[in-house]
């Protein structure tokens, strides 16, 4: 089917709904029913005269550009100035022909029936009228007004494109005299007026006399025009009558006219029902309607029009189909302005007995003679016109009142106090009419006269010679305004100035021409006998009906109560008016008021903005609370699992609370009075906190509180911080003192007691924090004596020094403080030996001088002095030799630093190995010379050994000490250096080309581009597309969306909001692809992996999310601007911008700010989206993700809600049609397919074959491999345990190899879920459950580790539980080596960083298997134990010596039992990677794969980036953090 056929089909459908449907609903009516919208009146031109058709131009359009731009200042005078000059004057002059006010109001009703151009066009085109500075009315008062609002009339969109097709305005009414002001200009509007009973309109009081009723009150906001009442500001829909003309409530007088015709229809329907029984409601309604229209036509043409013209009109000849009955622009101006001159300042009300009513003011305090016109606009509640009889009185009053004189004067009620807008309540009818004539492009006054064969005026006085005699100043001022150019004089002022007791010739000619066309071109005219509406007899009946008959029929008046011709009041007619009204006879007009639409909304608007700004903070607080709760819950779980918490009955000693300081929490402790004059302080876990040695004290001082309750006690310990205790009851304190006294008596120590207030005890007590500050000063000054440290860094001891600083030099260290300084336990053998050596006076404390003596040797002594010092430490008796057992004790004390990871048997074996290598295996004692001989191979390390000084190398003045560094392979001396550095070969390094700093930076940049070219290309492509999408929308709303009117209203806000919305839509859609794990796993095996860095999917996901959140915030800011502007824009503007949301009903006031935020679909969903985004983003922070993974898991699944809200957010199409689906469909389908693919395993229960609890909180799970489960070493899966919930999945790397029959995982208990999992698979739980809990599996998923075999040289770095992917890789490597499988990788370096080798002993077995099967020296394993001190102090130096002796003797590590080299401390990645460049000079790329804590992978990444800046081997880093 072609487009022509489609167009024909669409036309048929439209014809059905617009014509056939209407015909079907009225098929019982025997005559042709005239359509409400005016269509098909003319059967040749169907749309002619219809509602929505354009106005007719009798004269060519007069636009400045010939198309649509009106003539304005300065080419033409200011409209308000013309009004002030030509139409200003005194009221009170009666009509020369005694035309009544009812004549004027009926004329307005007739004009309203055929023309309405008040609806503004879209987009809104303002043509505001500037208020002159010298305007005495609008510029009066405190707040001056700058302009009168004027919005250009609606024009046909197909016009206004060229001078041959100028702008043509649209007529909202039908141009036929068809009663559209009574029945409305559409079928739906008429239906809204009807009661659908008895053929009548719906009335306010059911069952009332149809001739004495009022129309129904409006309760639908879009039915009646509800402009604001300028006297009260009320703009609600309540109180308005439902009439055919939507502006029928413009003033009380036009409303009364509409009520008359409303009643008349109901009156006729009631009459017809009584005359013809059996007629349906539709028949009754349509019969009454055609009689009302015919009556209205007759009165308008044959009664009112002759009254206006002053002579009879030509008789009706016949219907002429070729006549265009469209209303002309010129008629609208002529009719409205002519009637305006006759409008009085007030309108009388009288009853049928000629009693003229007093009018009560709105406040009920005053009365006046008549209704003031200026206070009667858009009245909702007027106590003078409330009841049906009030309408009668108003009609009678208008019939008896003589209108104003037919001249150029317009009363102030229309000229100064015409209703305006909410922004400015008053307007000028004449000024706006002049502006409208310019808007419509009307011809000039002389052009119009010539067109109607009237002589043009050459002189200003020719317009109205009689008026020029009486008021020559008017014409002089007018000539001055128009620069004395009569050719520029406009139609409206020129035509009005012709009036002089009678209407001017030009306007009467225009009006007669229009009415003749209305009559002759109307197929449904009542006198057209060919239309079949009326018989000749009925036509004669209609010809004899007058408006008098209508009024009498629908009011309580009798025939004689009102004159026969209600359009004139002749002498002798009843009920003469009391007087011709003037403004002074009436209440004053309500003054001009202004309104700021946003007034009173600033506070609420600001509060909403503050809440939106605080959203992330509130979410952060919520996340912190959840994190804190999970941490607390996790700690309780750990305590429960480990059984660490002790009951009070399990603790031996005295339970009491310790006060630690003013800013510290009080803690529960247990005191034990043990032998050797020692008091032990333990926590509730029975862990030693502090040991107080009383052996060196002559007495013990105790201070008791004397406050009420007497619960506090201070135990003073010289050279240590005090112990402040709180007891629950006084008797418990007394019991403690008795026990302490008894204990001291047994040890011959006196007890000194004293009392003071509790406040003084806490004030004078030396707290641990104060003691720490004192010791800090002690150590700083101690090192200032040895190291080259500036005195200011150490602290000045001069006159201005505090007493505390001077006291530091006299203080002494306890054994506990000495041990804390060394980083060891107070009861360790090393501390005991070192402390005994330093404590020369044997008082149990080390003084400043004693510590200084031993520190000098350790920091600056020779290797011989240091070895002698160590020898003396363990030669307690000073006999000059050590027995083999004592040497064994020496090594045992060194092994303490490894937290007993070296077993006693290993220590013994190491001692024997060291002695055997030195040839001392047969000696029973070792002299110092023998001891020093054992250390000679490591003399350099011993030279650089020292004590582990806290904070050394930091900015506090302690200089870093150079030390030896352990190499991965062998050590060599660097030329010119004093210490060893890691290296491989002794050949010289390749000479580097020295570049300038600029060239170096350029080279670094080049290397960066080369190293990350895939990442840069993909990110640049993605964000380029995002930017293009944003720019496209920005350009559209900046330049191509003029027709919508939005850019003119809020250009910045709409550009920002719509452009970012497009970018966010694109990013929110395609971020799904980064989470398609199965798709990524598949694609990484294709050629696309060469161009797209699939390993960076998670990082790219975070980057997209971050940018999307930023754009969302900017999008919100754009909408905040929009909402503010929309809240300050009248409803007429909003209805143009958002036609599907707002309808311009005249109320003008926009929706308040909270409607946009909380009552509109975009606003409500937008706020919810911000909340969801804030929750998801905050809970995705690394800290919260680590501390509460379940909260992260749950909140991140709000993405479903996010996408639903995004779809709903744009579904309303307020600004544009929904576009999100354009971006969303493709990635959503891929993501859905990926999820469905995962469900094939996700919902399958997998049996666990074996579960084992390993040391360091590691749980090993072995479970069956699902069918068709193919994976590669290094890949990972997600599991959920059925017993812990099937919706929470956690990622873990497979530790099994692809060739194995089962899958295995090693899971470390570091969080609540993994801890519960470990508890679930404990032997006790398994026994209780009776079986191993089953799992759900999702995966496998690919990541960078699986590409280890694609590099010629690969480096595997595992830290903590992060070694799990390398377990799978090492197993796979062993399997492939055993079958001589060809692999690309030629060398693998495995670096295992662990706190202690006992943490993951299961990996040791795998490494041992690798060593046994590695026949080609493919793997080089290096183990780093980080629990040992990183510095080469005395302890690690001795352990290092033992390890090297043991390695040389046994070819295996003392710690691990493997051939792999064991190191102490953390690996120097930069040095190691640097050495690899020399070991493998021909390798261009080395793959580095790390897994573990973020700190580890970050250090590896830094090392790779550092070396990648050079023109050497490229290190490609793949890492994974869970």
């Amino acid at each position: 089917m072609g487009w022509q056929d489609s167009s024909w089909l669409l036309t048929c459908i439209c014809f059905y709904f617009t014509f056939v449907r209407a015909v079907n609903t009225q098929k019982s009516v025997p005559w042709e029913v005239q359509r409400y919208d005016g269509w098909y009146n003319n059967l040749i031109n169907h749309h002619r005269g219809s509602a929505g058709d354009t106005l007719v131009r009798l004269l060519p359009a007069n636009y400045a550009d010939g198309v649509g731009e009106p003539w304005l200042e300065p080419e033409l005078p200011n409209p308000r100035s013309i009004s002030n000059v030509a139409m200003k004057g005194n009221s009170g002059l009666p009509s020369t022909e005694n035309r009544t006010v009812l004549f004027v109001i009926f004329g307005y009703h007739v004009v309203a029936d055929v023309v309405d151009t008040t609806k503004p066009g879209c987009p809104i085109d303002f043509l505001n009228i500037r208020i002159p500075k010298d305007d005495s009315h609008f510029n009066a008062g405190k707040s001056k007004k700058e302009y009168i609002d004027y919005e250009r009339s609606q024009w046909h969109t197909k016009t206004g494109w060229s001078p041959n097709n100028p702008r043509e305005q649209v007529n909202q009414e039908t141009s036929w005299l068809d009663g559209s002001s009574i029945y409305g200009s559409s079928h739906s509007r008429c239906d809204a007026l009807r009661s659908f009973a008895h053929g009548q309109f719906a009335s306010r009081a059911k069952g009332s006399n149809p001739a004495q009723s009022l129309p129904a009150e409006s309760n639908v906001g879009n039915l009646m025009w509800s402009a604001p009442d300028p006297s009260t500001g009320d703009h609600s829909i309540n109180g308005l009558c439902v009439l055919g003309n939507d502006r029928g409530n413009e003033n009380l007088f036009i409303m009364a006219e509409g009520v008359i015709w409303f009643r008349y229809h109901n009156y006729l329907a009631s009459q017809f029902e009584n005359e013809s029984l059996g007629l349906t409601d539709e028949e009754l309604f349509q019969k009454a309607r055609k009689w009302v229209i015919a009556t209205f036509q007759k009165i308008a043409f044959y009664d009112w029009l002759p009254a206006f013209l002053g002579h009879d009109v030509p008789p009706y000849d016949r219907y002429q189909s070729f006549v265009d009955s469209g209303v002309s622009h010129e008629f609208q101006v002529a009719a409205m302005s002519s009637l305006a001159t006759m409008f009085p300042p007030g309108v009388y009300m009288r009853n049928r007995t000629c009693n003229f009513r007093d009018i009560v003011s709105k406040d009920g305090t005053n009365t006046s003679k008549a209704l003031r016109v200026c206070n009667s606009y858009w009245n909702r509640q007027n106590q003078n016109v409330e009841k049906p009889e009030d309408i009668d009185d108003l009609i009678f009053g208008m019939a008896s009142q003589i209108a104003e004189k037919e001249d150029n004067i317009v009363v102030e009620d229309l000229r100064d106090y015409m209703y305006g807008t909410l922004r400015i309540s008053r307007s000028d009818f004449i000024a706006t009419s002049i502006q409208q004539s310019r808007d419509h492009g009307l011809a000039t006054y002389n052009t119009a006269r010539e067109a109607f064969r009237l002589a043009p005026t050459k002189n200003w006085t020719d317009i109205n010679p009689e008026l020029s005699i009486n008021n020559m100043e008017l014409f002089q001022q007018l000539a001055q305004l128009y620069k004395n150019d009569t050719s520029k004089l406009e139609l409206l002022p020129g035509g009005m100035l012709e009036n002089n007791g009678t209407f001017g010739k030009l306007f009467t000619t225009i009006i007669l021409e229009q009415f003749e066309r209305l009559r002759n071109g109307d197929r449904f005219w009542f006198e057209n006998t060919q239309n079949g509406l009326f018989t000749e007899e009925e036509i004669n009946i209609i010809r004899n009906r007058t408006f008098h008959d209508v009024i009498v029929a629908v009011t309580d008046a009798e025939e004689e109560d009102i004159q026969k011709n209600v359009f004139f009041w002749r002498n002798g007619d009843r009920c003469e008016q009391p007087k011709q009204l003037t403004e002074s006879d009436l209440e004053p007009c309500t003054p001009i008021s202004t309104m700021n639409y946003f007034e009173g909304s600033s506070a609420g608007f600001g509060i909403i903005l503050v809440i939106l700004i605080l959203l992330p903070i509130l979410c952060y607080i919520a996340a912190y609370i959840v994190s804190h709760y999970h941490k607390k819950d996790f700690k309780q779980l750990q305590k429960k699992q480990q059984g660490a918490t002790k009951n009070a009955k399990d603790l031996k000693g005295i339970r009491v609370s310790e006060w630690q300081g003013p800013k510290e929490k009080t803690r529960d402790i247990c005191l034990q009075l043990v032998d050797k004059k020692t008091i032990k302080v333990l926590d509730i876990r029975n862990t030693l906190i502090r040991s107080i040695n009383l052996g060196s004290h002559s007495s013990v001082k105790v201070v008791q509180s004397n406050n009420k309750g007497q619960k506090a006690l201070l135990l003073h310990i010289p050279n240590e911080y005090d112990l402040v205790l709180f007891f629950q009851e006084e008797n418990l304190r007394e019991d403690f003192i008795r026990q302490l006294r008894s204990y001291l008596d047994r040890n011959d120590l006196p007890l000194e007691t004293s009392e003071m207030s509790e406040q003084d005890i806490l004030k004078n007590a030396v707290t641990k924090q104060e003691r720490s500050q004192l010791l800090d000063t002690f150590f700083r000054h101690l090192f200032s004596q040895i190291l080259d440290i500036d005195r200011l860094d150490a602290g000045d001891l001069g006159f201005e020094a505090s007493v505390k600083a001077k006291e530091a030099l006299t203080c002494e260290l306890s054994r506990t403080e000495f041990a804390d300084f060394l980083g060891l336990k107070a009861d360790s053998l090393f501390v005991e030996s070192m402390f005994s050596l330093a404590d020369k006076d044997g008082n149990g404390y080390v003084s400043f001088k004693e510590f200084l003596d031993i520190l000098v040797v350790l920091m600056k002594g020779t290797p011989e002095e240091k070895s002698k010092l160590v020898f003396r430490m363990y030669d307690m008796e000073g006999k000059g030799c050590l027995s083999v057992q004592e040497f064994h004790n020496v090594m045992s004390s060194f092994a303490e630093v490894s937290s007993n990871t070296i077993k006693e048997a290993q220590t013994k074996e190491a001692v024997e190995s060291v002695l055997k290598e030195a040839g001392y295996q047969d000696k029973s004692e070792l002299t110092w010379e023998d001891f020093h001989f054992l250390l000679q191979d490591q003399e350099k390390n011993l030279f650089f050994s020292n004590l582990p000084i806290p904070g050394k190398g930091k900015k506090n003045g302690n200089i870093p000490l150079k030390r030896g560094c352990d190499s991965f392979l062998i050590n060599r001396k660097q030329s010119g250096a004093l210490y060893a550095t890691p290296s491989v070969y002794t050949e010289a390094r390749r000479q580097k080309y020295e570049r300038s700093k600029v060239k170096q930076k350029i080279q670094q940049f080049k290397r960066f581009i080369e190293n990350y070219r895939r990442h840069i290309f993909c990110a640049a492509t993605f964000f380029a597309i995002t930017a293009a999408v944003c720019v496209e929308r920005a350009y559209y709303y900046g330049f191509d969306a003029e027709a919508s009117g939005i850019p003119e209203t809020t250009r910045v806000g709409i550009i920002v909001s719509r452009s970012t919305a497009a970018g966010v839509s694109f990013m929110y859609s395609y971020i799904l692809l980064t989470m398609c794990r199965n798709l990524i796993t598949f694609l990484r095996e294709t050629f696309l992996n060469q161009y797209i860095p699939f390993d960076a999917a998670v990082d790219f996901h975070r980057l997209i999310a971050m940018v999307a959140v930023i754009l969302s915030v900017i999008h919100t800011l754009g909408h905040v601007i929009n909402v503010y502007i929309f809240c300050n824009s009248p409803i007429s503007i909003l209805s143009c911008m958002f036609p599907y949301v707002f309808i311009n009903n005249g109320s003008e006031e926009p929706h308040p700010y909270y409607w946009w935020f909380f009552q509109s679909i975009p606003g409500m969903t937008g706020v919810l989206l911000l909340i969801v985004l804030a929750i998801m983003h905050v809970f995705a922070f690394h800290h919260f993700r680590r501390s509460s993974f379940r909260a992260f898991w749950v909140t991140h699944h709000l993405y479903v809600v996010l996408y639903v809200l995004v779809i709903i957010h744009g579904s309303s199409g307020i600004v544009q049609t929904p576009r999100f689906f354009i971006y969303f469909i493709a990635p959503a389908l891929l993501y859905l397919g990926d999820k469905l693919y995962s469900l094939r395993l996700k919902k399958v229960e997998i049996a666990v074959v074996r579960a084992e609890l390993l040391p360091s909180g590691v749980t090993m799970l072995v479970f069956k491999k699902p069918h068709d489960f193919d994976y590669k070493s290094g890949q990972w899966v997600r599991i959920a345990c059925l017993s812990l919930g099937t919706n929470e999945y956690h990622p873990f790397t497979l530790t099994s190899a692809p060739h194995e029959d089962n899958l295995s995982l090693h899971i470390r208990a570091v969080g609540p879920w993994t801890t519960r999992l470990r508890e679930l698979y404990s032997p006790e739980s398994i026994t209780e459950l009776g079986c191993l809990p089953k799992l759900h599996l999702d995966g496998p998923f690919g990541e960078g580790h699986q590409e280890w075999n694609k590099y010629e040289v690969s480096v595997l770095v595992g830290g903590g539980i992060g070694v799990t992917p390398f377990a799978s890789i090492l197993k796979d490597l062993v399997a492939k080596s055993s079958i001589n499988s060809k692999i690309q990788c030629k060398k693998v370096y495995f670096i295992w960083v662990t706190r202690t080798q006992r943490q993951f002993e299961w990996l040791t077995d795998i490494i041992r298997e690798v060593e046994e099967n590695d026949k080609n020296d493919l793997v080089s394993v290096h183990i780093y134990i980080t629990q040992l001190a990183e510095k080469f102090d005395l302890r690690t130096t001795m352990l290092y010596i033992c390890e090297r002796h043991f390695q040389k003797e046994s070819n295996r590590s003392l710690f691990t039992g493997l051939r792999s080299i064991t190191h102490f401390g953390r690996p120097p990645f930069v040095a190691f990677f640097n050495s690899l460049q020399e070991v493998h000079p021909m390798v261009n790329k080395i793959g580095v794969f790390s897994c573990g804590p973020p700190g580890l992978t970050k250090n590896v990444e830094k090392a790779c980036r550092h070396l990648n800046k050079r023109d050497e081997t490229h290190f490609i880093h793949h890492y994974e953090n869970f």
Side-chain angles (χ1 to χ4, degrees), residues 1179-1189:
F1179 277 88
F1181 286 172
H1182 177 75
H1183 172 75
F1184 299 124
R1185 193 171 69 247
R1186 297 285 294 180
S1187 59
S1188 179
F1189 183 83

PDB file of all heavy atoms in Angstrom, residues 1179-1189:
ATOM      1  N   PHE A1179      26.592   2.978  48.792  1.00  0.00           N
ATOM      2  CA  PHE A1179      26.847   1.613  49.270  1.00  0.00           C
ATOM      3  C   PHE A1179      27.865   0.889  48.390  1.00  0.00           C
ATOM      4  O   PHE A1179      28.339  -0.170  48.776  1.00  0.00           O
ATOM      5  CB  PHE A1179      25.543   0.816  49.332  1.00  0.00           C
ATOM      6  CG  PHE A1179      24.755   1.053  50.587  1.00  0.00           C
ATOM      7  CD1 PHE A1179      23.832   2.085  50.651  1.00  0.00           C
ATOM      8  CD2 PHE A1179      24.945   0.261  51.698  1.00  0.00           C
ATOM      9  CE1 PHE A1179      23.106   2.317  51.800  1.00  0.00           C
ATOM     10  CE2 PHE A1179      24.219   0.479  52.868  1.00  0.00           C
ATOM     11  CZ  PHE A1179      23.305   1.511  52.927  1.00  0.00           C
ATOM     12  N   ALA A1180      28.174   1.453  47.224  1.00  0.00           N
ATOM     13  CA  ALA A1180      29.189   0.851  46.365  1.00  0.00           C
ATOM     14  C   ALA A1180      30.593   1.362  46.676  1.00  0.00           C
ATOM     15  O   ALA A1180      31.560   0.896  46.067  1.00  0.00           O
ATOM     16  CB  ALA A1180      28.866   1.110  44.894  1.00  0.00           C
ATOM     17  N   PHE A1181      30.694   2.322  47.628  1.00  0.00           N
ATOM     18  CA  PHE A1181      32.015   2.764  48.035  1.00  0.00           C
ATOM     19  C   PHE A1181      32.820   1.573  48.532  1.00  0.00           C
ATOM     20  O   PHE A1181      32.284   0.642  49.135  1.00  0.00           O
ATOM     21  CB  PHE A1181      31.921   3.816  49.140  1.00  0.00           C
ATOM     22  CG  PHE A1181      31.466   5.161  48.661  1.00  0.00           C
ATOM     23  CD1 PHE A1181      31.176   6.176  49.561  1.00  0.00           C
ATOM     24  CD2 PHE A1181      31.305   5.430  47.310  1.00  0.00           C
ATOM     25  CE1 PHE A1181      30.754   7.411  49.139  1.00  0.00           C
ATOM     26  CE2 PHE A1181      30.883   6.679  46.872  1.00  0.00           C
ATOM     27  CZ  PHE A1181      30.600   7.654  47.786  1.00  0.00           C
ATOM     28  N   HIS A1182      34.114   1.655  48.295  1.00  0.00           N
ATOM     29  CA  HIS A1182      34.978   0.531  48.654  1.00  0.00           C
ATOM     30  C   HIS A1182      34.845   0.167  50.130  1.00  0.00           C
ATOM     31  O   HIS A1182      34.762  -1.019  50.485  1.00  0.00           O
ATOM     32  CB  HIS A1182      36.431   0.875  48.331  1.00  0.00           C
ATOM     33  CG  HIS A1182      37.406  -0.183  48.736  1.00  0.00           C
ATOM     34  ND1 HIS A1182      37.557  -1.361  48.035  1.00  0.00           N
ATOM     35  CD2 HIS A1182      38.276  -0.257  49.791  1.00  0.00           C
ATOM     36  CE1 HIS A1182      38.468  -2.110  48.622  1.00  0.00           C
ATOM     37  NE2 HIS A1182      38.918  -1.461  49.693  1.00  0.00           N
ATOM     38  N   HIS A1183      34.815   1.166  50.990  1.00  0.00           N
ATOM     39  CA  HIS A1183      34.755   0.895  52.433  1.00  0.00           C
ATOM     40  C   HIS A1183      33.495   0.138  52.802  1.00  0.00           C
ATOM     41  O   HIS A1183      33.551  -0.872  53.520  1.00  0.00           O
ATOM     42  CB  HIS A1183      34.820   2.220  53.195  1.00  0.00           C
ATOM     43  CG  HIS A1183      34.569   2.072  54.659  1.00  0.00           C
ATOM     44  ND1 HIS A1183      35.507   1.545  55.532  1.00  0.00           N
ATOM     45  CD2 HIS A1183      33.472   2.364  55.415  1.00  0.00           C
ATOM     46  CE1 HIS A1183      35.010   1.530  56.756  1.00  0.00           C
ATOM     47  NE2 HIS A1183      33.770   2.023  56.708  1.00  0.00           N
ATOM     48  N   PHE A1184      32.350   0.631  52.316  1.00  0.00           N
ATOM     49  CA  PHE A1184      31.082  -0.015  52.664  1.00  0.00           C
ATOM     50  C   PHE A1184      30.944  -1.361  51.957  1.00  0.00           C
ATOM     51  O   PHE A1184      30.314  -2.282  52.488  1.00  0.00           O
ATOM     52  CB  PHE A1184      29.913   0.894  52.319  1.00  0.00           C
ATOM     53  CG  PHE A1184      29.925   2.199  53.065  1.00  0.00           C
ATOM     54  CD1 PHE A1184      29.903   3.406  52.395  1.00  0.00           C
ATOM     55  CD2 PHE A1184      29.990   2.215  54.450  1.00  0.00           C
ATOM     56  CE1 PHE A1184      29.932   4.607  53.071  1.00  0.00           C
ATOM     57  CE2 PHE A1184      30.009   3.412  55.145  1.00  0.00           C
ATOM     58  CZ  PHE A1184      29.991   4.605  54.458  1.00  0.00           C
ATOM     59  N   ARG A1185      31.489  -1.449  50.755  1.00  0.00           N
ATOM     60  CA  ARG A1185      31.431  -2.731  50.048  1.00  0.00           C
ATOM     61  C   ARG A1185      32.224  -3.807  50.784  1.00  0.00           C
ATOM     62  O   ARG A1185      31.825  -4.967  50.831  1.00  0.00           O
ATOM     63  CB  ARG A1185      31.962  -2.531  48.626  1.00  0.00           C
ATOM     64  CG  ARG A1185      31.677  -3.700  47.702  1.00  0.00           C
ATOM     65  CD  ARG A1185      32.011  -3.369  46.265  1.00  0.00           C
ATOM     66  NE  ARG A1185      33.432  -3.241  46.043  1.00  0.00           N
ATOM     67  CZ  ARG A1185      34.045  -2.115  45.733  1.00  0.00           C
ATOM     68  NH1 ARG A1185      33.349  -1.005  45.615  1.00  0.00           N
ATOM     69  NH2 ARG A1185      35.355  -2.072  45.547  1.00  0.00           N
ATOM     70  N   ARG A1186      33.332  -3.402  51.382  1.00  0.00           N
ATOM     71  CA  ARG A1186      34.169  -4.362  52.109  1.00  0.00           C
ATOM     72  C   ARG A1186      33.563  -4.702  53.467  1.00  0.00           C
ATOM     73  O   ARG A1186      33.617  -5.849  53.901  1.00  0.00           O
ATOM     74  CB  ARG A1186      35.569  -3.784  52.311  1.00  0.00           C
ATOM     75  CG  ARG A1186      36.326  -3.524  51.035  1.00  0.00           C
ATOM     76  CD  ARG A1186      36.844  -4.786  50.400  1.00  0.00           C
ATOM     77  NE  ARG A1186      37.852  -5.449  51.189  1.00  0.00           N
ATOM     78  CZ  ARG A1186      38.460  -6.582  50.822  1.00  0.00           C
ATOM     79  NH1 ARG A1186      38.150  -7.138  49.659  1.00  0.00           N
ATOM     80  NH2 ARG A1186      39.369  -7.144  51.591  1.00  0.00           N
ATOM     81  N   SER A1187      32.994  -3.701  54.131  1.00  0.00           N
ATOM     82  CA  SER A1187      32.496  -3.934  55.487  1.00  0.00           C
ATOM     83  C   SER A1187      31.116  -4.566  55.499  1.00  0.00           C
ATOM     84  O   SER A1187      30.757  -5.240  56.457  1.00  0.00           O
ATOM     85  CB  SER A1187      32.457  -2.615  56.263  1.00  0.00           C
ATOM     86  OG  SER A1187      31.611  -1.681  55.606  1.00  0.00           O
ATOM     87  N   SER A1188      30.339  -4.360  54.462  1.00  0.00           N
ATOM     88  CA  SER A1188      28.986  -4.921  54.426  1.00  0.00           C
ATOM     89  C   SER A1188      28.637  -5.290  52.990  1.00  0.00           C
ATOM     90  O   SER A1188      27.937  -4.562  52.291  1.00  0.00           O
ATOM     91  CB  SER A1188      27.974  -3.915  54.990  1.00  0.00           C
ATOM     92  OG  SER A1188      26.674  -4.443  54.944  1.00  0.00           O
ATOM     93  N   PHE A1189      29.143  -6.437  52.553  1.00  0.00           N
ATOM     94  CA  PHE A1189      28.922  -6.848  51.177  1.00  0.00           C
ATOM     95  C   PHE A1189      27.450  -7.102  50.902  1.00  0.00           C
ATOM     96  O   PHE A1189      26.958  -6.816  49.812  1.00  0.00           O
ATOM     97  CB  PHE A1189      29.734  -8.113  50.883  1.00  0.00           C
ATOM     98  CG  PHE A1189      29.617  -8.573  49.452  1.00  0.00           C
ATOM     99  CD1 PHE A1189      30.404  -8.010  48.469  1.00  0.00           C
ATOM    100  CD2 PHE A1189      28.702  -9.553  49.085  1.00  0.00           C
ATOM    101  CE1 PHE A1189      30.296  -8.413  47.155  1.00  0.00           C
ATOM    102  CE2 PHE A1189      28.586  -9.964  47.775  1.00  0.00           C
ATOM    103  CZ  PHE A1189      29.392  -9.396  46.802  1.00  0.00           C
TER     104      PHE A1189
END
